[in-house]
Amino acid sequence: DAKTTQPNSMESNEEEPVHLPCNHSTISGTDYIHWYRQLPSQGPEYVIHGLTSNVNNRMASLAIAEDRKSSTLILHRATLRDAAVYYCNAGGTSYGKLTFGQGTILTVHP
Amino acid sequence: SQTIHQWPATLVQPVGSPLSLECTVEGTSNPNLYWYRQAAGRGLQLLFYSVGIGQISSEVPQNLSASRPQDRQFILSSKKLLLSDSGFYLCAWSVGLNQPQHFGDGTRLSIL
């Protein structure tokens, strides 16, 4: 798995968009980019993943740089329920294994 | 639909006692299974993974072991717990390479 770098924390206001960045400069050509989020005392929840093209689902959008060395998770309208630790992973090719770093603590203000 | 169950939710054990945590998955066949540990305020550390019955790979040497006696059952064990084994233990499954992992609710283990 490629090492990922994320900001330790970010803040947002409710109803505003949030852009969570992730750097994965050593990503291999077959590694997918995965995003998960974790609420206190719960297991991580899958958010979105992609390989090269931008991806959208009901939870978020994933924008992947053309050189794939970075990506951005986009929450279009943050809610208080989006406050969590967000983990970016670049891997999944070797037995589906993922490496979870420290993540970004997202605080959403009412 | 697929579900994953972990138990117990919390566990308090004395140092030197044995451990057995169980994880089962329903609604899928031949899943990849994973055990993670999370220390307080830290990210997740992959402990073991399994791609089939009886196939276990260890990521981190320690006094823990894992077994997969049935297709959708994954067990984490220890013969003698250490203080450093405290943490939040999470089981996860996926259908294969580059696919999302789905996590259980975890077991919070405290060693006294």
Side-chain angles (χ1 to χ4, degrees), chain B residues 44-56:
Chain B
L44 282 73
Q45 179 186 38
L46 179 63
L47 302 176
F48 300 94
Y49 66 93
S50 171
V51 298
I53 297 174
Q55 299 178 51
I56 307 294

Side-chain angles (χ1 to χ4, degrees), chain A residues 30 32 34 36 38 41-44 46 49 87 91-93 95-98 100-102, chain B residues 32 34 36 38 41-44 46 49 51 59 88 90 97-101 103-104 108:
Chain A
T30 56
Y32 275 65
H34 303 249
Y36 291 78
Q38 186 178 24
S41 298
Q42 294 186 22
Y46 165 76
H49 78 301
Y87 296 100
T93 301
Y95 303 104
K97 295 186 295 178
L98 296 173
F100 287 79
Q102 295 294 94
Chain B
N32 286 359
Y34 309 88
Y36 291 87
Q38 186 173 37
R42 307 293 297 274
L44 282 73
L46 179 63
Y49 66 93
V51 298
E59 287 292 291
F88 191 40
L90 291 152
L97 302 181
N98 299 314
Q99 295 303 308
Q101 291 188 16
F103 287 80
R108 190 161 302 280

Side-chain angles (χ1 to χ4, degrees), chain A residues 34-66:
Chain A
H34 303 249
W35 283 84
Y36 291 78
R37 68 182 186 183
Q38 186 178 24
L39 296 173
S41 298
Q42 294 186 22
E45 174 189 29
Y46 165 76
V47 177
I48 200 166
H49 78 301
L51 183 62
T52 56
S53 303
N54 294 343
V55 184
N56 301 293
N57 65 21
R58 63 175 180 81
M59 293 179 68
S61 295
L62 175 60
I64 301 171
E66 193 169 338

Side-chain angles (χ1 to χ4, degrees), chain A residues 2-7 10 18-27 31-36 47-55 60-75 86-91 104:
Chain A
K3 179 174 168 34
T4 59
T5 304
Q6 299 177 253
M10 292 185 65
V18 181
H19 291 234
L20 297 166
C22 180
N23 287 316
H24 29 78
S25 58
T26 62
I27 192 170
D31 284 338
Y32 275 65
I33 298 152
H34 303 249
W35 283 84
Y36 291 78
V47 177
I48 200 166
H49 78 301
L51 183 62
T52 56
S53 303
N54 294 343
V55 184
S61 295
L62 175 60
I64 301 171
E66 193 169 338
D67 63 7
R68 296 197 348 111
K69 294 185 177 182
S70 65
S71 62
T72 301
L73 178 70
I74 303 167
L75 306 178
Y86 285 79
Y87 296 100
C88 166
N89 305 272
T104 296

Side-chain angles (χ1 to χ4, degrees), chain A residues 10-18 37-40 42 45 75-86 105-110:
Chain A
M10 292 185 65
E11 298 186 19
S12 173
N13 294 319
E14 205 173 7
E15 302 293 317
E16 291 183 354
V18 181
R37 68 182 186 183
Q38 186 178 24
L39 296 173
Q42 294 186 22
E45 174 189 29
L75 306 178
H76 295 285
R77 292 180 65 191
T79 70
L80 296 178
R81 288 173 296 179
D82 291 323
V85 180
Y86 285 79
I105 300 171
L106 175 64
T107 302
V108 180
H109 299 289

